[in-house]
Amino acid sequence: MRWGILIPILLYAVVLLAIAWWSFRRRQAVAEGRKTEHYYMGGRSLGWMLLMFTLLASGASAGTFIGGPGLVYGEGYGWILVSVFQVPTAFIALAVLGKKWAIVGRKLGALSIVEMLRHRYENPVVVVLSSLGIVVFLSAYMVPQFVGGSRLLEAATGADYRVVLICLAALVAVYTTFGGFLADAMSDVLQGVIMLVGAVVVWVALLSAAGGMGAVNDQVMSTAPELFTLPGPGGFTPQMIASYSLQLGLMFGVLPHLAVRAMSYRDSRSVHTAMKVGPLVMTVITLGFLTMGMMARYYHPDMEVGDLALPTTIVEVLPAGVAGVLFAAPLAAVMSTVDAMILVVAGTIIRDLYTAYVNPRVSDGRTSAITSATTLGLTALVLVLALNPPDYLELLVIYAIGGLETAFFFPLVLGLYWKRANALGAGLGMAGGMAWYTVVNNWAPELALGMFPIATSSAVALALFLLGSYLGPPPRREVLVKFWGTQAEIDRLGDAARPAR
Amino acid sequence: MPDTEPPVRDAGFEEDPRYRTAKRELAIALAYWVAFTTAVTATAWLLGGHKTADELTFVLGFPAWFFWSVPVTCLVFSGIAYVLVRRFFTDIPLSADGDAGGPEER
């Protein structure tokens, strides 16, 4: 056990719990009837710092810190090249869903993607499909996060993987159950700052210890020169590179846990500032951590598991206290992603499925109890799955992301900006896109046409969406009023404004 | 600068003029995404595609293709994002009725 590294991490956990406690107390003080909104969305009050960091931290996950550097270590610079497509993601997400997303969300009091879809398409098939998609894919996504965080801690502290995993899961469960959205966003700022400073500090430390990038290059040149080349071991042809951008840049923002954040900011000034600063911050974080994957080759040219290259190197090169603080950053990234997702999945199960279809008249107190139980159950499920970790994290992460993006991008974006979009289009596009995506990933890789699977899956989803929208009846007038009309027009609808089942 | 154009009437109801602003910003973001993707992919491939490790030149300790397509392009596009938001994105109230937090006007 390396206590020097463990102590800063434990301190960090204490700070997180304190934030959760504070957030819990604050929620107690929120007026009755607004508690749920506060728990899932923090009362739509995020300023630019909270908005930017919560987007970056919830987006930057185990992939950026562990899987990413591991892939760079194993397959070279091509992986950094495709990862930079996440640099403008916050900007693009906030502009594509846009202020319309935030305004309509406020008008309808919607707290999740599924709720928006229910208002827009008024179709149980669409609602159930999207809810199941969220539950299945996000749960899958959480597994590699937990695995990554635990592996990292195992490498850093020498503690047993299983013990670490269980502690991590327990911390996340407690923290999410009590803290809710606001605690999550608050801790994201702390984490974002640590990530940013950490990226720079580790970079400088590793580089000066190695004696500059030249020394790193000579080492790589003599052991694995193919890491410098394109397409290289990762097979990055131009169409492959560009199709990554679809997944990491354009469509990333419709992921349920990020789309919720794109609704929750205070005003348009906050969103503008977050958009201006976001790309630059993400550039530093992405480049900083990923180039370290290459530097790790200088210290350990022949590791079996690439994921461990960076943590092992950090432990060796940096003094223990500094290393501990730095390990808090990726750990934090993992935790912030996971707890954002748990909130979304729990919300989906409880608010979009249970109260919408099973028991509409459930009381506020009951809801809160069910929420806690669901959160714990989810964490336990993910924990069990994480006990047998897969080999390369990033691919699993990407698998889950692509499926959700394929399902949600067109129903959300076209639903917001295209009046003709209707339930038949949304249902067909979702089902067809997800089916295609699954088939391409599991059984017929040639259907991807030499690109990342999301490219052809999106094309299929879009084609089916358009087809269904033109075949099916246009949306009810009430729906159009809700998504295009002024508030006065919506008020005039009265009871008709409620979504039809 | 809020939109001051008159509201549209087409489907027999009054449309919220703020959504036109949102639509314009969507178009800007899509164009930005296309430009960024093209810039990164093209620079990387034109400078580094199908070259063996021995043929590569290095800039500041990175392969040249990587240096120009990744750090440089990212910094340039971070700047572009800043300018776009500053010049072309409109400040609008987000509240349901479009007031800047004042009392509701009916």
mmCIF file of all heavy atoms in Angstrom, chain B residues 52-87:
data_model
loop_
_atom_site.group_PDB
_atom_site.id
_atom_site.type_symbol
_atom_site.label_atom_id
_atom_site.label_comp_id
_atom_site.label_asym_id
_atom_site.label_seq_id
_atom_site.Cartn_x
_atom_site.Cartn_y
_atom_site.Cartn_z
ATOM 1 N N THR B 52 6.146 6.075 -44.308
ATOM 2 C CA THR B 52 6.770 5.223 -43.300
ATOM 3 C C THR B 52 7.437 6.125 -42.257
ATOM 4 O O THR B 52 7.646 7.314 -42.491
ATOM 5 C CB THR B 52 7.855 4.321 -43.914
ATOM 6 O OG1 THR B 52 8.842 5.171 -44.492
ATOM 7 C CG2 THR B 52 7.268 3.414 -44.967
ATOM 8 N N ALA B 53 7.768 5.539 -41.124
ATOM 9 C CA ALA B 53 8.322 6.325 -40.020
ATOM 10 C C ALA B 53 9.617 7.036 -40.425
ATOM 11 O O ALA B 53 9.897 8.139 -39.962
ATOM 12 C CB ALA B 53 8.565 5.423 -38.818
ATOM 13 N N ASP B 54 10.387 6.416 -41.316
ATOM 14 C CA ASP B 54 11.673 7.030 -41.705
ATOM 15 C C ASP B 54 11.473 8.295 -42.537
ATOM 16 O O ASP B 54 12.336 9.172 -42.565
ATOM 17 C CB ASP B 54 12.517 6.041 -42.529
ATOM 18 C CG ASP B 54 12.578 4.707 -41.839
ATOM 19 O OD1 ASP B 54 12.440 4.700 -40.599
ATOM 20 O OD2 ASP B 54 12.743 3.673 -42.518
ATOM 21 N N GLU B 55 10.339 8.385 -43.261
ATOM 22 C CA GLU B 55 10.119 9.544 -44.132
ATOM 23 C C GLU B 55 9.598 10.756 -43.374
ATOM 24 O O GLU B 55 9.493 11.845 -43.927
ATOM 25 C CB GLU B 55 9.101 9.199 -45.227
ATOM 26 C CG GLU B 55 9.540 8.068 -46.140
ATOM 27 C CD GLU B 55 8.391 7.562 -46.997
ATOM 28 O OE1 GLU B 55 7.250 8.038 -46.816
ATOM 29 O OE2 GLU B 55 8.625 6.694 -47.847
ATOM 30 N N LEU B 56 9.201 10.564 -42.114
ATOM 31 C CA LEU B 56 8.536 11.660 -41.395
ATOM 32 C C LEU B 56 9.529 12.747 -40.992
ATOM 33 O O LEU B 56 10.668 12.470 -40.656
ATOM 34 C CB LEU B 56 7.856 11.124 -40.138
ATOM 35 C CG LEU B 56 6.683 10.177 -40.363
ATOM 36 C CD1 LEU B 56 6.204 9.617 -39.037
ATOM 37 C CD2 LEU B 56 5.541 10.899 -41.066
ATOM 38 N N THR B 57 9.029 13.990 -41.012
ATOM 39 C CA THR B 57 9.809 15.081 -40.428
ATOM 40 C C THR B 57 9.175 15.427 -39.083
ATOM 41 O O THR B 57 7.994 15.153 -38.860
ATOM 42 C CB THR B 57 9.776 16.324 -41.333
ATOM 43 O OG1 THR B 57 8.416 16.578 -41.689
ATOM 44 C CG2 THR B 57 10.578 16.108 -42.591
ATOM 45 N N PHE B 58 9.956 16.043 -38.205
ATOM 46 C CA PHE B 58 9.448 16.336 -36.867
ATOM 47 C C PHE B 58 9.440 17.836 -36.593
ATOM 48 O O PHE B 58 10.353 18.552 -36.984
ATOM 49 C CB PHE B 58 10.302 15.623 -35.819
ATOM 50 C CG PHE B 58 10.009 14.152 -35.757
ATOM 51 C CD1 PHE B 58 10.567 13.276 -36.686
ATOM 52 C CD2 PHE B 58 9.155 13.655 -34.797
ATOM 53 C CE1 PHE B 58 10.278 11.922 -36.642
ATOM 54 C CE2 PHE B 58 8.861 12.303 -34.742
ATOM 55 C CZ PHE B 58 9.423 11.436 -35.661
ATOM 56 N N VAL B 59 8.365 18.289 -35.940
ATOM 57 C CA VAL B 59 8.281 19.685 -35.516
ATOM 58 C C VAL B 59 8.106 19.695 -34.005
ATOM 59 O O VAL B 59 7.163 19.077 -33.496
ATOM 60 C CB VAL B 59 7.074 20.394 -36.164
ATOM 61 C CG1 VAL B 59 7.030 21.851 -35.735
ATOM 62 C CG2 VAL B 59 7.118 20.278 -37.674
ATOM 63 N N LEU B 60 8.998 20.341 -33.291
ATOM 64 C CA LEU B 60 8.943 20.402 -31.822
ATOM 65 C C LEU B 60 8.805 19.020 -31.194
ATOM 66 O O LEU B 60 8.117 18.848 -30.190
ATOM 67 C CB LEU B 60 7.756 21.268 -31.361
ATOM 68 C CG LEU B 60 7.770 22.740 -31.759
ATOM 69 C CD1 LEU B 60 6.580 23.451 -31.129
ATOM 70 C CD2 LEU B 60 9.063 23.412 -31.284
ATOM 71 N N GLY B 61 9.400 18.022 -31.792
ATOM 72 C CA GLY B 61 9.357 16.687 -31.213
ATOM 73 C C GLY B 61 8.112 15.888 -31.560
ATOM 74 O O GLY B 61 7.940 14.785 -31.072
ATOM 75 N N PHE B 62 7.250 16.425 -32.428
ATOM 76 C CA PHE B 62 6.099 15.641 -32.883
ATOM 77 C C PHE B 62 6.234 15.404 -34.378
ATOM 78 O O PHE B 62 6.810 16.233 -35.079
ATOM 79 C CB PHE B 62 4.792 16.389 -32.620
ATOM 80 C CG PHE B 62 4.486 16.558 -31.172
ATOM 81 C CD1 PHE B 62 4.704 17.770 -30.551
ATOM 82 C CD2 PHE B 62 3.983 15.501 -30.428
ATOM 83 C CE1 PHE B 62 4.430 17.930 -29.199
ATOM 84 C CE2 PHE B 62 3.709 15.662 -29.084
ATOM 85 C CZ PHE B 62 3.927 16.876 -28.469
ATOM 86 N N PRO B 63 5.669 14.302 -34.868
ATOM 87 C CA PRO B 63 5.634 14.144 -36.326
ATOM 88 C C PRO B 63 4.923 15.353 -36.936
ATOM 89 O O PRO B 63 3.922 15.813 -36.381
ATOM 90 C CB PRO B 63 4.800 12.875 -36.528
ATOM 91 C CG PRO B 63 4.884 12.128 -35.244
ATOM 92 C CD PRO B 63 5.065 13.161 -34.175
ATOM 93 N N ALA B 64 5.425 15.819 -38.081
ATOM 94 C CA ALA B 64 4.880 17.055 -38.650
ATOM 95 C C ALA B 64 3.376 16.957 -38.918
ATOM 96 O O ALA B 64 2.628 17.890 -38.633
ATOM 97 C CB ALA B 64 5.631 17.397 -39.933
ATOM 98 N N TRP B 65 2.927 15.832 -39.444
ATOM 99 C CA TRP B 65 1.487 15.719 -39.744
ATOM 100 C C TRP B 65 0.656 15.900 -38.475
ATOM 101 O O TRP B 65 -0.383 16.555 -38.483
ATOM 102 C CB TRP B 65 1.151 14.394 -40.422
ATOM 103 C CG TRP B 65 1.335 13.141 -39.580
ATOM 104 C CD1 TRP B 65 2.413 12.307 -39.601
ATOM 105 C CD2 TRP B 65 0.408 12.574 -38.645
ATOM 106 N NE1 TRP B 65 2.234 11.267 -38.721
ATOM 107 C CE2 TRP B 65 1.010 11.401 -38.125
ATOM 108 C CE3 TRP B 65 -0.854 12.938 -38.186
ATOM 109 C CZ2 TRP B 65 0.390 10.598 -37.173
ATOM 110 C CZ3 TRP B 65 -1.476 12.140 -37.240
ATOM 111 C CH2 TRP B 65 -0.852 10.981 -36.741
ATOM 112 N N PHE B 66 1.173 15.327 -37.394
ATOM 113 C CA PHE B 66 0.438 15.417 -36.131
ATOM 114 C C PHE B 66 0.459 16.852 -35.600
ATOM 115 O O PHE B 66 -0.566 17.396 -35.170
ATOM 116 C CB PHE B 66 1.081 14.467 -35.120
ATOM 117 C CG PHE B 66 0.447 14.521 -33.778
ATOM 118 C CD1 PHE B 66 -0.690 13.776 -33.503
ATOM 119 C CD2 PHE B 66 0.973 15.331 -32.773
ATOM 120 C CE1 PHE B 66 -1.286 13.840 -32.253
ATOM 121 C CE2 PHE B 66 0.375 15.395 -31.518
ATOM 122 C CZ PHE B 66 -0.751 14.647 -31.272
ATOM 123 N N PHE B 67 1.609 17.471 -35.667
ATOM 124 C CA PHE B 67 1.750 18.824 -35.140
ATOM 125 C C PHE B 67 0.778 19.794 -35.805
ATOM 126 O O PHE B 67 0.082 20.553 -35.136
ATOM 127 C CB PHE B 67 3.191 19.309 -35.339
ATOM 128 C CG PHE B 67 3.409 20.709 -34.856
ATOM 129 C CD1 PHE B 67 3.591 20.970 -33.514
ATOM 130 C CD2 PHE B 67 3.420 21.776 -35.752
ATOM 131 C CE1 PHE B 67 3.774 22.269 -33.057
ATOM 132 C CE2 PHE B 67 3.609 23.076 -35.309
ATOM 133 C CZ PHE B 67 3.786 23.324 -33.960
ATOM 134 N N TRP B 68 0.694 19.740 -37.120
ATOM 135 C CA TRP B 68 -0.186 20.700 -37.812
ATOM 136 C C TRP B 68 -1.651 20.320 -37.695
ATOM 137 O O TRP B 68 -2.521 21.191 -37.638
ATOM 138 C CB TRP B 68 0.208 20.807 -39.298
ATOM 139 C CG TRP B 68 1.546 21.419 -39.467
ATOM 140 C CD1 TRP B 68 2.699 20.809 -39.883
ATOM 141 C CD2 TRP B 68 1.911 22.778 -39.178
ATOM 142 N NE1 TRP B 68 3.750 21.696 -39.879
ATOM 143 C CE2 TRP B 68 3.286 22.908 -39.449
ATOM 144 C CE3 TRP B 68 1.208 23.899 -38.717
ATOM 145 C CZ2 TRP B 68 3.986 24.108 -39.282
ATOM 146 C CZ3 TRP B 68 1.897 25.091 -38.551
ATOM 147 C CH2 TRP B 68 3.266 25.190 -38.829
ATOM 148 N N SER B 69 -1.971 19.044 -37.654
ATOM 149 C CA SER B 69 -3.390 18.677 -37.668
ATOM 150 C C SER B 69 -3.998 18.681 -36.270
ATOM 151 O O SER B 69 -5.201 18.822 -36.128
ATOM 152 C CB SER B 69 -3.571 17.298 -38.299
ATOM 153 O OG SER B 69 -3.055 16.296 -37.449
ATOM 154 N N VAL B 70 -3.190 18.499 -35.239
ATOM 155 C CA VAL B 70 -3.791 18.408 -33.913
ATOM 156 C C VAL B 70 -3.611 19.681 -33.067
ATOM 157 O O VAL B 70 -4.549 20.468 -32.972
ATOM 158 C CB VAL B 70 -3.357 17.123 -33.186
ATOM 159 C CG1 VAL B 70 -3.920 17.096 -31.786
ATOM 160 C CG2 VAL B 70 -3.862 15.906 -33.947
ATOM 161 N N PRO B 71 -2.429 19.952 -32.507
ATOM 162 C CA PRO B 71 -2.385 21.137 -31.632
ATOM 163 C C PRO B 71 -2.693 22.434 -32.379
ATOM 164 O O PRO B 71 -3.498 23.247 -31.893
ATOM 165 C CB PRO B 71 -0.944 21.147 -31.112
ATOM 166 C CG PRO B 71 -0.267 19.977 -31.648
ATOM 167 C CD PRO B 71 -1.165 19.212 -32.533
ATOM 168 N N VAL B 72 -2.116 22.595 -33.555
ATOM 169 C CA VAL B 72 -2.316 23.856 -34.271
ATOM 170 C C VAL B 72 -3.783 24.044 -34.683
ATOM 171 O O VAL B 72 -4.398 25.080 -34.418
ATOM 172 C CB VAL B 72 -1.386 23.925 -35.508
ATOM 173 C CG1 VAL B 72 -1.712 25.132 -36.352
ATOM 174 C CG2 VAL B 72 0.064 23.961 -35.052
ATOM 175 N N THR B 73 -4.345 23.012 -35.304
ATOM 176 C CA THR B 73 -5.743 23.125 -35.729
ATOM 177 C C THR B 73 -6.678 23.349 -34.547
ATOM 178 O O THR B 73 -7.615 24.145 -34.621
ATOM 179 C CB THR B 73 -6.154 21.858 -36.501
ATOM 180 O OG1 THR B 73 -5.184 21.614 -37.510
ATOM 181 C CG2 THR B 73 -7.499 22.028 -37.162
ATOM 182 N N CYS B 74 -6.431 22.644 -33.450
ATOM 183 C CA CYS B 74 -7.285 22.814 -32.271
ATOM 184 C C CYS B 74 -7.237 24.244 -31.747
ATOM 185 O O CYS B 74 -8.279 24.823 -31.407
ATOM 186 C CB CYS B 74 -6.864 21.871 -31.154
ATOM 187 S SG CYS B 74 -7.434 20.221 -31.417
ATOM 188 N N LEU B 75 -6.049 24.795 -31.680
ATOM 189 C CA LEU B 75 -5.942 26.157 -31.164
ATOM 190 C C LEU B 75 -6.624 27.142 -32.112
ATOM 191 O O LEU B 75 -7.362 28.032 -31.677
ATOM 192 C CB LEU B 75 -4.473 26.539 -30.958
ATOM 193 C CG LEU B 75 -3.818 25.817 -29.782
ATOM 194 C CD1 LEU B 75 -2.340 26.136 -29.694
ATOM 195 C CD2 LEU B 75 -4.512 26.179 -28.465
ATOM 196 N N VAL B 76 -6.409 26.963 -33.399
ATOM 197 C CA VAL B 76 -7.059 27.849 -34.370
ATOM 198 C C VAL B 76 -8.578 27.765 -34.228
ATOM 199 O O VAL B 76 -9.270 28.786 -34.163
ATOM 200 C CB VAL B 76 -6.632 27.473 -35.808
ATOM 201 C CG1 VAL B 76 -7.516 28.177 -36.833
ATOM 202 C CG2 VAL B 76 -5.174 27.840 -36.030
ATOM 203 N N PHE B 77 -9.102 26.553 -34.129
ATOM 204 C CA PHE B 77 -10.553 26.421 -34.063
ATOM 205 C C PHE B 77 -11.129 26.838 -32.710
ATOM 206 O O PHE B 77 -12.284 27.227 -32.618
ATOM 207 C CB PHE B 77 -10.988 25.003 -34.455
ATOM 208 C CG PHE B 77 -11.220 24.887 -35.935
ATOM 209 C CD1 PHE B 77 -10.154 24.666 -36.797
ATOM 210 C CD2 PHE B 77 -12.486 25.048 -36.477
ATOM 211 C CE1 PHE B 77 -10.350 24.593 -38.164
ATOM 212 C CE2 PHE B 77 -12.688 24.969 -37.848
ATOM 213 C CZ PHE B 77 -11.619 24.744 -38.696
ATOM 214 N N SER B 78 -10.313 26.755 -31.644
ATOM 215 C CA SER B 78 -10.775 27.316 -30.370
ATOM 216 C C SER B 78 -10.970 28.818 -30.541
ATOM 217 O O SER B 78 -11.950 29.393 -30.049
ATOM 218 C CB SER B 78 -9.760 27.049 -29.264
ATOM 219 O OG SER B 78 -9.607 25.673 -29.080
ATOM 220 N N GLY B 79 -10.047 29.444 -31.258
ATOM 221 C CA GLY B 79 -10.167 30.874 -31.538
ATOM 222 C C GLY B 79 -11.390 31.177 -32.389
ATOM 223 O O GLY B 79 -12.140 32.120 -32.121
ATOM 224 N N ILE B 80 -11.617 30.335 -33.398
ATOM 225 C CA ILE B 80 -12.770 30.551 -34.279
ATOM 226 C C ILE B 80 -14.071 30.440 -33.489
ATOM 227 O O ILE B 80 -14.991 31.244 -33.664
ATOM 228 C CB ILE B 80 -12.747 29.536 -35.444
ATOM 229 C CG1 ILE B 80 -11.566 29.844 -36.368
ATOM 230 C CG2 ILE B 80 -14.058 29.595 -36.239
ATOM 231 C CD1 ILE B 80 -11.401 28.856 -37.505
ATOM 232 N N ALA B 81 -14.148 29.445 -32.594
ATOM 233 C CA ALA B 81 -15.357 29.284 -31.787
ATOM 234 C C ALA B 81 -15.614 30.549 -30.973
ATOM 235 O O ALA B 81 -16.756 31.037 -30.893
ATOM 236 C CB ALA B 81 -15.206 28.082 -30.854
ATOM 237 N N TYR B 82 -14.548 31.087 -30.401
ATOM 238 C CA TYR B 82 -14.678 32.302 -29.588
ATOM 239 C C TYR B 82 -15.260 33.442 -30.422
ATOM 240 O O TYR B 82 -16.229 34.097 -30.038
ATOM 241 C CB TYR B 82 -13.307 32.697 -29.033
ATOM 242 C CG TYR B 82 -13.347 33.895 -28.125
ATOM 243 C CD1 TYR B 82 -13.508 33.724 -26.756
ATOM 244 C CD2 TYR B 82 -13.255 35.188 -28.632
ATOM 245 C CE1 TYR B 82 -13.567 34.811 -25.917
ATOM 246 C CE2 TYR B 82 -13.314 36.293 -27.795
ATOM 247 C CZ TYR B 82 -13.470 36.095 -26.442
ATOM 248 O OH TYR B 82 -13.540 37.168 -25.607
ATOM 249 N N VAL B 83 -14.691 33.624 -31.602
ATOM 250 C CA VAL B 83 -15.140 34.724 -32.466
ATOM 251 C C VAL B 83 -16.589 34.516 -32.915
ATOM 252 O O VAL B 83 -17.400 35.442 -32.897
ATOM 253 C CB VAL B 83 -14.200 34.854 -33.689
ATOM 254 C CG1 VAL B 83 -14.759 35.855 -34.684
ATOM 255 C CG2 VAL B 83 -12.817 35.264 -33.229
ATOM 256 N N LEU B 84 -16.919 33.284 -33.296
ATOM 257 C CA LEU B 84 -18.279 32.998 -33.753
ATOM 258 C C LEU B 84 -19.304 33.364 -32.688
ATOM 259 O O LEU B 84 -20.303 34.028 -32.965
ATOM 260 C CB LEU B 84 -18.429 31.512 -34.097
ATOM 261 C CG LEU B 84 -17.843 31.023 -35.413
ATOM 262 C CD1 LEU B 84 -18.094 29.533 -35.560
ATOM 263 C CD2 LEU B 84 -18.453 31.774 -36.589
ATOM 264 N N VAL B 85 -19.046 32.905 -31.465
ATOM 265 C CA VAL B 85 -20.012 33.173 -30.398
ATOM 266 C C VAL B 85 -20.108 34.670 -30.155
ATOM 267 O O VAL B 85 -21.188 35.236 -30.011
ATOM 268 C CB VAL B 85 -19.610 32.442 -29.099
ATOM 269 C CG1 VAL B 85 -20.531 32.832 -27.960
ATOM 270 C CG2 VAL B 85 -19.653 30.945 -29.315
ATOM 271 N N ARG B 86 -18.959 35.324 -30.170
ATOM 272 C CA ARG B 86 -18.941 36.755 -29.879
ATOM 273 C C ARG B 86 -19.675 37.565 -30.936
ATOM 274 O O ARG B 86 -20.408 38.509 -30.623
ATOM 275 C CB ARG B 86 -17.489 37.203 -29.800
ATOM 276 C CG ARG B 86 -17.286 38.344 -28.862
ATOM 277 C CD ARG B 86 -15.896 38.916 -28.981
ATOM 278 N NE ARG B 86 -15.983 40.332 -28.644
ATOM 279 C CZ ARG B 86 -15.729 40.793 -27.438
ATOM 280 N NH1 ARG B 86 -15.358 39.967 -26.495
ATOM 281 N NH2 ARG B 86 -15.829 42.076 -27.193
ATOM 282 N N ARG B 87 -19.475 37.177 -32.197
ATOM 283 C CA ARG B 87 -20.022 37.984 -33.278
ATOM 284 C C ARG B 87 -21.441 37.582 -33.676
ATOM 285 O O ARG B 87 -22.249 38.423 -34.042
ATOM 286 C CB ARG B 87 -19.125 37.848 -34.525
ATOM 287 C CG ARG B 87 -17.716 38.382 -34.362
ATOM 288 C CD ARG B 87 -17.605 39.861 -34.708
ATOM 289 N NE ARG B 87 -18.365 40.222 -35.909
ATOM 290 C CZ ARG B 87 -17.845 40.242 -37.123
ATOM 291 N NH1 ARG B 87 -16.596 39.916 -37.308
ATOM 292 N NH2 ARG B 87 -18.590 40.584 -38.161
#
